[in-house]
């Protein structure tokens, strides 16, 4: 019997039920339950993030739950939770969509969504639609069942970001052609083009409740737009390199977070139209950021070195030896006071081996998913009460650090990684069973019940009719004639005449059955017409022997593309080298320098 391997499973049902049993209205203070303590016995008292809106530190995901990777590994550009939180959708650099289970984190299904790299994906607010964009500038509409219903050529260059309007009637795209385009969602028609950036537009977001757009570009500028008129309202200067991500705070919409390749992130207050927080601590460029769906003061960033940092905007967490700054709200002159410097509340320095391209929170706020250039999708969550090992693993201390502490060995780590890969391969093999089309049985026209097959002991065929059996054998030969007598007649050439047609006394013989309308004699195979037979005038002559392409249900043994029968076979997939050469012929890539 095979050994049963139990993977990590995170079921939030028990904590939700615990909260529902003891929760009270917000004006009656918080939930009256025993305070969690650092002991495993208090696991039953864990509450979901919505139950403790005043404690954002409890939602910091410091523990790795699972690492998921495909059989064919490619960089993960986009990670998006489905609206109900049951699955995680990932988009890869070869245009594939992969669905992972949201509780067991195992593979569920994979599909070829785009012909080029997936660059952006976003769900509508009513949770009924998903739109995705790729490297070729194509935007596709998807239903929750991931049925593609529409595709539009939004741009001719890569689309870097997408965003829905608050009522889902429109969406906006940011493209490498330095423009933003607003489309009508129902018709897929472009309504307006916003120009003003001097270089590639890398990010865009729509305010959760207002008619306000924000965009970030390679020209180091953050711009706010009026989507109705297409006018640029203001330009925010603060970064000194390419803007990687711009995100409105999803709950109240009063704050705007931006990150750039200058190793900093900034938080702007839209009421003051200035930056109020400067997030420092990253050692490399920041490639992405995400707001927590419940706590407005929790902001997470992903770096180009594979690190994930978590910031609490109401806790500066100033390191020793550095002067603490105050927020502009508490200064005498808020308009001109410098932004408060915020340092990370928690660091996962070695979360990935390469750049973190995308982060997304579970709708409940208890699991953070990350996709990286190292081709791995990872799931993170808060540590359980009493757990301390997760703070000294290789994702916090690095491989060399844990080897020095003696808590991890390289050989054992490789073994665990191989086991995880084998488990993912088993899940993927179970989800990708080849669904073969049923074999179509060719049927002789006009002879019901005679199906073409090559099965049987003799496997006899008609001459010129491949895959077709002969007429059934008569057990006693022709009716009324002994088989030995029939053989002697055939040898001597004295065959009896065919039996005459019979009719009732005093009646004429019935006429032969009429031919179908527009009957084409050319479709009959050679040998079925008597020698010297001439079809009526205007009909083409019969085809040469062996050419039965016009008969439905009769085909050759090699039914690759045409014909009605046979097993449908897939064509060979192009290799990576062929794909690269094809893209180079299209002018998409250049040879390495």
């Amino acid at each position: 019997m095979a050994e049963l391997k139990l993977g990590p499973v995170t079921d939030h049902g028990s904590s939700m039920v615990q909260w529902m049993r003891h929760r009270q209205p917000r004006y009656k203070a918080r939930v009256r339950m025993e305070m969690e303590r650092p002991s495993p016995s208090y696991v039953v008292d864990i509450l979901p993030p919505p139950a403790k809106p005043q404690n954002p530190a409890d939602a910091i995901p410091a523990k790795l739950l699972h690492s998921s990777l495909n059989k064919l590994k490619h960089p993960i550009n986009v990670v998006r939770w489905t609206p109900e939180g049951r699955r995680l959708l990932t988009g890869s650099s070869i245009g594939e969509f992969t669905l992972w289970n949201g509780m067991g984190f195992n593979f569920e299904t994979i599909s070829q969504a785009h012909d080029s790299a997936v660059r952006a994906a976003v769900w509508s607010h009513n949770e009924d639609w998903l739109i995705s964009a790729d490297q070729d500038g194509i935007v596709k509409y998807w239903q929750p069942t991931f049925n593609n219903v529409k595709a539009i050529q939004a741009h001719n260059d890569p689309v870097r970001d997408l965003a829905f309007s608050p009522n889902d009637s429109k969406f906006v795209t940011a493209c490498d052609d330095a423009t933003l385009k607003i489309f009508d969602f129902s018709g897929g028609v472009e309504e307006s083009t916003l120009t003003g950036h001097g270089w590639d537009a890398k990010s865009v977001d729509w305010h959760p409740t207002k008619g306000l757009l924000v965009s970030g570009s390679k020209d180091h500028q953050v711009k706010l737009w009026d989507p109705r008129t297409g006018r640029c309202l203001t330009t925010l200067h603060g970064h000194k390199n390419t803007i990687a991500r711009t995100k409105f705070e999803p709950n109240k919409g009063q704050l705007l977070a931006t990150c750039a390749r200058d190793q900093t992130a900034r938080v702007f207050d839209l009421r003051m139209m200035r930056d109020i927080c400067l997030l420092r601590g990253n050692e490399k460029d920041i490639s992405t950021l995400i707001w927590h769906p419940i706590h407005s003061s929790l902001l997470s960033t992903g770096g180009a070195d594979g690190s994930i940092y978590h910031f609490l905007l109401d806790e500066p967490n100033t390191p020793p030896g550095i002067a603490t700054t105050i927020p502009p709200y508490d200064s005498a002159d808020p308009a001109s006071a410098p932004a408060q410097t915020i340092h990370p509340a928690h660091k996962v320095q070695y979360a990935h081996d390469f750049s973190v391209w995308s982060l997304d929170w579970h709708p409940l706020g208890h699991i953070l998913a990350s996709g990286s250039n190292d081709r791995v999708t990872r799931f993170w969550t808060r540590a359980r009460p009493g757990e301390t090992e997760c703070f000294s693993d290789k994702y916090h201390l690095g491989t060399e650090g844990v080897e020095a502490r003696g808590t991890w060995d390289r050989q054992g780590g490789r073994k665990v990684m191989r086991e995880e890969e084998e488990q993912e391969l088993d899940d993927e093999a179970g989800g990708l069973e080849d669904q073969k089309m049923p074999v179509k049985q060719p049927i002789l026209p006009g002879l019901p019940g005679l199906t073409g097959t090559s099965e049987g002991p003799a496997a006899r065929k008609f001459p010129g009719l491949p895959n077709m059996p002969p007429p059934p054998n008569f057990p006693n030969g022709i009716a009324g004639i002994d088989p030995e007598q029939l053989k002697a007649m055939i040898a001597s050439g004295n065959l009896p005449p065919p039996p005459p047609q019979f009719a009732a006394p005093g009646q004429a013989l019935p006429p032969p059955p009429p031919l179908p309308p527009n009957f084409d004699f050319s479709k009959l195979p050679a040998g079925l017409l008597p020698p010297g037979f001439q079809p009526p005038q205007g009909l083409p002559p019969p085809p040469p022997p062996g050419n039965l392409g016009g008969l439905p249900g009769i085909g050759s043994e090699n039914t690759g593309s045409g014909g009605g029968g046979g097993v449908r076979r897939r064509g060979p997939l192009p290799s990576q080298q062929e794909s690269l050469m094809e893209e180079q012929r299209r002018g998409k890539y250049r040879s390495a320098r």
Side-chain angles (χ1 to χ4, degrees):
M1 178 181 290
E3 180 183 358
L4 180 60
K5 297 182 179 179
L6 298 179
V9 176
T10 301
D11 186 2
H12 55 268
S14 59
S15 60
M16 288 294 295
V17 171
Q18 183 87 331
W19 176 43
M20 294 171 63
R21 288 179 58 191
H22 299 89
R23 64 180 176 178
Q24 294 179 350
R26 191 68 56 87
Y27 67 90
K28 291 185 179 180
R30 61 182 180 83
V31 179
R32 295 181 179 179
M33 294 181 61
E34 187 175 0
M35 184 67 67
E36 295 177 14
R37 301 181 184 181
S39 174
S41 61
Y42 286 86
V43 172
V44 295
D45 295 325
I46 290 182
L47 295 178
K52 297 186 290 186
Q54 72 280 1
N55 294 331
D58 288 346
I60 292 179
K63 176 185 175 182
L64 174 71
L65 281 174
H66 188 66
S67 297
S68 301
L69 64 162
N70 292 76
K71 179 180 179 181
L72 299 178
K73 306 175 183 63
H74 297 279
I76 305 300
N77 295 336
V78 178
V79 293
R80 290 290 179 269
W81 286 94
T82 54
E84 77 285 353
R86 291 187 177 183
R87 296 172 181 85
L88 178 75
L89 171 71
T90 63
S92 71
S93 60
I94 61 170
E96 290 181 344
F97 275 176
T98 306
L99 281 178
W100 305 94
N101 188 278
M103 290 188 179
F105 315 116
N106 56 292
F107 170 86
E108 287 199 356
T109 186
I110 189 172
S111 62
Q112 188 68 40
H114 288 266
D115 296 331
S116 58
V118 179
R119 291 298 178 189
V122 63
W123 286 94
S124 62
H125 296 87
N126 60 13
E127 304 177 358
D128 290 338
W129 294 97
L130 171 77
I131 57 174
S132 60
D134 62 14
Q135 183 77 14
D136 295 334
I138 298 176
V139 175
K140 291 189 176 183
Y141 293 25
W142 305 87
Q143 292 176 329
T145 57
F146 294 97
N147 177 35
N148 179 223
V149 298
K150 195 170 189 177
I152 61 175
Q153 185 72 46
H155 297 266
N156 294 323
D157 292 312
V159 176
R160 296 294 178 176
D161 207 358
L162 295 164
F164 265 107
S165 64
N167 59 1
D168 297 330
S169 63
K170 307 179 189 305
F171 67 90
V172 61
T173 61
C175 180
D176 278 356
D177 58 7
T179 64
L180 309 176
K181 289 186 178 181
I182 299 177
F183 290 84
D184 177 70
F185 176 73
S186 59
V189 181
E190 176 186 343
E191 291 190 347
S192 61
T193 301
L194 312 182
T195 58
H197 281 294
W199 215 342
D200 302 356
K202 294 296 185 182
S203 178
V204 69
D205 195 21
W206 206 307
H207 194 278
T209 59
K210 303 182 184 303
L212 183 65
L213 296 176
V214 62
S215 63
S217 171
K218 203 173 179 179
D219 59 4
H220 313 172
Q221 296 179 356
V222 176
K223 291 181 177 291
L224 296 174
W225 307 81
D226 183 356
R228 300 176 184 85
T229 62
R231 184 172 62 93
C232 177
L233 302 177
T234 187
T235 301
L236 304 175
H237 302 273
H239 292 285
K240 300 177 181 178
N241 211 321
T242 301
I243 309 298
R245 191 70 63 195
T246 56
K247 286 289 183 183
F248 287 110
E249 196 276 316
N251 294 321
K252 298 180 180 179
Q254 297 175 355
L255 302 179
L256 166 67
T258 63
C259 67
R261 295 181 180 175
D262 56 3
Q263 304 179 13
T264 64
R266 293 179 181 268
V267 177
F268 294 83
D269 191 330
L270 299 178
R271 297 166 296 181
M272 303 172 64
M273 205 58 69
R274 56 151 297 175
D275 54 339
I276 58 172
C277 293
L278 174 62
L279 310 185
R280 290 188 178 274
N282 288 82
E283 300 176 2
K284 296 292 183 179
D285 301 343
I286 302 178
S287 53
T288 186
L289 59 79
I290 187 71
W291 291 95
H292 192 273
I294 307 298
H295 303 294
S296 301
S297 60
L298 178 56
L299 190 65
S300 303
T301 63
D305 57 351
S307 62
I308 297 178
Y309 287 7
H310 306 285
F311 297 85
L312 295 175
L313 302 186
D314 50 3
E315 297 181 12
N317 296 295
T318 306
I322 299 179
T324 302
T325 58
I326 63 174
Y329 306 116
D330 298 337
S331 63
D333 187 7
S336 59
Q340 183 185 21
T341 302
I342 305 294
H343 295 270
H346 186 80
K347 300 180 181 180
V348 187
Q349 188 66 45
Y350 305 95
H352 287 273
D353 296 334
F354 299 105
S355 299
V356 179
W357 291 132
S358 182
L359 296 171
D360 197 33
W361 280 99
H362 189 280
L364 198 58
H366 68 298
I367 297 179
L368 176 68
S370 60
S372 169
N373 201 40
D374 62 2
R375 305 170 295 183
V376 179
T377 302
R378 289 199 165 106
F379 299 85
W380 311 85
T381 188
R382 57 164 290 185
R384 292 183 176 182
E387 283 186 340
T388 58
E389 298 84 0
C390 61
F391 300 101
S392 58
D393 58 8
K394 69 173 184 176
Y395 303 105
H396 288 80
L397 304 180
T399 303
E400 297 179 357
V402 292
E403 283 182 340
R405 293 168 59 99
T407 58
W408 186 82
D409 65 289
R410 195 176 299 270
Q411 184 176 0
R414 291 185 183 137
K415 180 181 178 181
V416 173
M417 184 177 297
R418 284 196 303 269
E419 292 177 352
E420 291 179 353
E421 290 183 1
E422 291 174 359
Q423 183 65 34
E424 298 294 347
L425 291 178
D426 293 342
D427 294 339
E428 189 165 350
L432 293 179
E433 294 181 358
D434 190 13
Q435 304 294 330
K436 293 183 179 180
M437 295 292 291
V439 180
K440 295 182 180 180
Q441 299 289 346
I443 300 175
L444 271 177
L447 297 178
L450 291 183
T451 59
T453 176
S454 58
E455 300 177 355
R460 296 180 296 268
K461 299 180 175 64
F462 282 116
L465 298 181
N467 294 332
M468 302 302 298
N473 294 326
F474 294 98
N476 298 322
I478 301 179
I481 300 180
D482 184 70
E484 299 298 332
Q485 182 181 0
L486 180 61
K487 290 182 181 179
M489 291 181 178
I490 293 176
S492 61
N494 298 324
L495 291 175
Q501 291 183 335
F502 296 95
Q507 295 183 0
L509 292 175
L515 293 175
N518 301 326
F519 183 81
D520 190 0
F521 286 88
S522 64
K523 301 298 182 181
L524 293 177
L528 295 185
L529 298 178
F533 175 79
Q534 295 295 332
Q537 186 176 3
L539 291 177
N547 184 10
L548 302 179
L551 279 177
I554 301 180
S556 62
E557 295 186 14
N558 184 15
T559 56
S561 58
V567 180
R568 186 180 68 177
R569 295 182 174 87
R570 298 177 180 175
L573 296 176
S575 64
Q576 293 184 358
Q577 184 68 21
E578 294 174 350
S579 301
L580 178 59
M581 294 175 61
E582 179 63 25
E583 294 297 327
Q584 289 178 347
R585 282 194 292 267
R586 296 180 183 177
K588 298 294 180 65
Y589 299 99
R590 294 182 301 217
S591 302
R593 297 181 180 177

